[in-house]
Amino acid sequence: MRRAALRFCSLNKGLLIPGRGLTQGSQNPEKQRVFHMHEVRDKLREIVGASTNWSDHVKAMEERKLLQSFLAESQKELPPRRMRDSYIEVLLPLGSQPELREKYLTVQNTIRFGRILEDLDSLGVLICYMHTRVQEAKMSPLSIVTALVDKIDMCKTSLSPEQDIKFSGHVSWVGKTSMEVKMQMFQLHGNEFCPVLDATFVMVARDSENKGPAFINPLIPESPEEEELFRQGELNKGRRVAFSAKSLLKMAPSAEERTTIHEMFLNTLDPKTISFRSRVLPPNAVWMENSKLKSLEVCHPQERNIFNRIFGGFLMRKAYELGWATACNFGGSRPFIVAVDDIMFQKPVDVGSLLFLSSQVCFTQDNYIQVRVHSEVASLESKEHMTTNVFHFTFMSEEKVPLVFPRTYGESMLYLDGKRHFNSMSTPVNLRKDYLVEP
């Protein structure tokens, strides 16, 4: 099974670099070199004209209003782009620049996956700006934001804080106002960069003031590999629509799922009484309500993005770290991330907001722990809470974990939703001692 996971990543490796030469032939000389990760955020600020000083943010946003006239009125007005036009390689030199390590280091001398989520989010936005770039314009009239983390699959067992990491990625599918971005992460082992993860993000383009949708350049595949990538992007879009349509918030569970829940209910009835109210846990089981952890974050200006909202990567890092702690507390041993699935950014988070995170184990199987993190935001002036994100993380524990049992109908729906997300994992992996990806 482990070989199957690595084979899956090697196949994606061939697809993610169509023609294995996306940096060649680019008309943008800046993409002939490899960026360093610290340059990515600087480049994004330059592209949108954002200031590094919070006191200047109002002036910067007023200046962006003047860019509205540069927006296309239809997609037909925009020149088509190739996948190679958006291809970027970014280096995180943890090995050659040891002073960078502390930001990424865990106490177990491994890499903080939450920091990797932040880097992927920034990189995905920069890739989209490369696709939509207007050579003659100093600043982009588009506001590009992360709409969805469709999937992150881990496909390498070892992450060392003492070896360089390389990211690469490009736009793989384009609609009228949205883009799918494929990214990979590699780590240096010996003289070769070996694949670590595959990520698929969906970005949306909005106008200069980030108030409405904006058209983006169409994408033209140039090879059979690129055509396959583009086709897969279309299939991914259809899959997301179908998954949403079958959401348990909209439709009743299937007959098989209803049977599963009823059998779990029967397994918790007290055999000493003839009552539906008397519930007891089976051996090696935990009530779902006892698997929760919560946290609160005050959203300071330091965590803002280039549009002066809270950085999506920061939200992912905080949700992931709470999810990891939940899995650790539940399983009783160190968990390791296997997959990230279906993170929808439903509402932006304003600077100064209170961010409430609630994490819960919603499904378990053997060594696997499926964790759901729910994110709500409230302003300092208002007590009204609004959902901003729901995060889904799949962890694997060093030991077999207890079963989790729902008590209520609502918890039963969470269980089924967690089971659906777990079953959507591309390729299960077997735990090895060098599988060291932590908060």
Side-chain angles (χ1 to χ4, degrees):
M1 194 178 292
R2 184 70 214 161
R3 287 193 294 272
L6 295 176
R7 187 163 59 248
F8 170 78
C9 286
S10 65
L11 285 173
N12 275 357
K13 182 180 178 182
L15 286 174
L16 278 169
I17 310 178
R20 303 192 180 274
L22 285 174
T23 55
Q24 300 174 5
S26 170
Q27 296 179 3
N28 180 8
E30 203 164 37
K31 291 190 291 185
Q32 299 295 331
R33 67 181 181 86
V34 176
F35 283 100
H36 279 209
M37 185 53 72
H38 70 87
E39 297 178 286
V40 170
R41 295 292 292 274
D42 294 339
K43 188 64 182 173
L44 287 173
R45 279 190 285 266
E46 177 188 328
I47 289 171
V48 302
S51 172
T52 56
N53 298 317
W54 171 245
S55 58
D56 297 333
H57 77 280
V58 175
K59 178 183 176 183
M61 295 309 293
E62 285 296 320
E63 291 176 350
R64 283 195 59 77
K65 290 182 180 179
L66 303 176
L67 299 173
Q68 288 284 111
S69 60
F70 292 96
L71 293 171
E73 294 184 3
S74 71
Q75 193 176 43
K76 294 179 180 179
E77 297 178 17
L78 298 168
R81 295 285 160 80
R82 304 167 298 177
M83 290 188 187
R84 69 175 64 191
D85 292 326
S86 62
Y87 180 78
I88 303 177
E89 290 185 359
V90 175
L91 187 67
L92 179 58
L94 298 179
S96 50
Q97 295 183 21
E99 64 273 14
L100 296 177
R101 290 177 195 165
E102 188 158 320
K103 177 182 175 182
Y104 291 83
L105 195 63
T106 72
V107 69
Q108 289 86 13
N109 199 42
T110 59
I111 286 181
R112 296 174 63 183
F113 186 68
R115 291 295 188 191
I116 300 301
L117 290 174
E118 290 183 323
D119 291 342
L120 287 170
D121 194 43
S122 295
L123 177 60
V125 175
L126 181 58
I127 287 171
C128 291
Y129 273 119
M130 291 301 180
H131 175 82
T132 59
R133 183 167 181 160
V134 180
Q135 297 293 340
E136 55 272 14
K138 182 180 178 181
M139 292 192 299
S140 173
L142 298 175
S143 302
I144 296 175
V145 295
T146 305
L148 171 72
V149 178
D150 186 54
K151 180 73 71 175
I152 300 177
D153 287 315
M154 306 301 299
C155 52
K156 187 67 179 178
T157 56
S158 178
L159 276 181
S160 166
E162 299 177 359
Q163 301 294 331
D164 286 355
I165 286 175
K166 183 174 72 173
F167 298 87
S168 68
H170 62 87
V171 172
S172 56
W173 174 86
V174 164
K176 289 186 177 180
T177 62
S178 62
M179 293 165 276
E180 182 185 86
V181 177
K182 293 283 190 184
M183 292 176 283
Q184 278 194 309
M185 174 178 158
F186 306 83
Q187 183 156 50
L188 189 64
H189 288 274
N191 296 321
E192 182 182 2
F193 277 100
C194 299
V196 171
L197 65 77
D198 294 315
T200 303
F201 282 45
V202 177
M203 308 293 190
V204 294
R206 299 178 65 78
D207 62 26
S208 304
E209 298 180 72
N210 196 11
K211 291 183 177 179
F215 292 106
I216 54 175
N217 304 72
L219 181 66
I220 297 180
E222 294 187 296
S223 68
E225 292 84 2
E226 291 187 5
E227 290 175 358
E228 173 61 23
L229 266 185
F230 194 90
R231 187 185 72 84
Q232 187 61 51
E234 288 283 359
L235 292 176
N236 289 342
K237 179 183 177 181
R239 172 181 52 80
R240 289 190 293 267
V241 171
F243 195 86
S244 176
K246 294 180 181 178
S247 167
L248 293 167
L249 292 171
K250 300 176 182 178
M251 292 185 63
S254 67
E256 182 181 353
E257 289 174 330
R258 292 195 297 269
T259 300
T260 297
I261 292 302
H262 190 66
E263 288 177 350
M264 294 184 75
F265 173 73
L266 294 178
N267 286 337
T268 63
L269 293 181
D270 188 348
K272 298 178 183 177
T273 64
I274 306 176
S275 170
F276 288 131
R277 293 185 178 183
S278 183
R279 308 280 295 277
V280 292
L281 276 171
N284 193 33
V286 176
W287 291 119
M288 187 183 290
E289 63 187 5
N290 295 329
S291 68
K292 293 181 180 179
L293 287 181
K294 295 185 178 183
S295 70
L296 169 66
E297 299 290 336
V298 180
C299 298
H300 296 290
Q302 182 184 13
E303 308 302 341
R304 72 189 185 279
N305 63 15
I306 52 179
F307 304 114
N308 297 305
R309 299 287 180 78
I310 294 301
F311 174 44
F314 169 78
L315 301 176
M316 286 194 283
R317 175 166 65 87
K318 287 299 180 179
Y320 170 78
E321 290 174 352
L322 180 63
W324 183 91
T326 303
C328 182
N329 186 58
F330 181 87
S333 63
R334 215 169 28 163
F336 307 101
I337 186 66
V338 174
V340 181
D341 176 44
D342 193 28
I343 299 175
M344 179 75 74
F345 288 82
Q346 301 177 21
K347 184 184 184 330
V349 178
D350 291 326
V351 172
S353 300
L354 298 178
L355 182 69
F356 297 85
L357 295 170
S358 177
S359 179
Q360 185 171 21
V361 175
C362 55
F363 177 78
T364 61
Q365 180 177 302
D366 300 327
N367 291 55
Y368 292 103
I369 306 172
Q370 188 71 33
V371 177
R372 181 183 189 269
V373 182
H374 183 259
S375 167
E376 293 181 339
V377 68
S379 67
L380 295 176
E381 297 80 21
S382 171
K383 294 183 179 180
E384 183 182 5
H385 288 215
M386 298 187 68
T387 297
T388 60
N389 305 82
V390 178
F391 306 83
H392 301 276
F393 302 107
T394 307
F395 294 96
M396 187 163 21
S397 178
E398 293 177 307
E399 306 293 338
K400 191 170 182 179
V401 299
L403 296 174
V404 63
F405 274 78
R407 270 187 189 269
T408 66
Y409 186 81
E411 287 181 346
S412 297
M413 296 304 99
L414 287 178
Y415 179 90
L416 293 178
D417 187 59
K419 189 172 187 290
R420 288 181 180 185
H421 283 283
F422 176 78
N423 289 336
S424 73
M425 185 168 53
S426 296
T427 308
V429 294
N430 290 328
L431 182 65
R432 283 170 45 173
K433 292 183 178 180
D434 58 346
Y435 195 101
L436 300 174
V437 190
E438 301 186 19

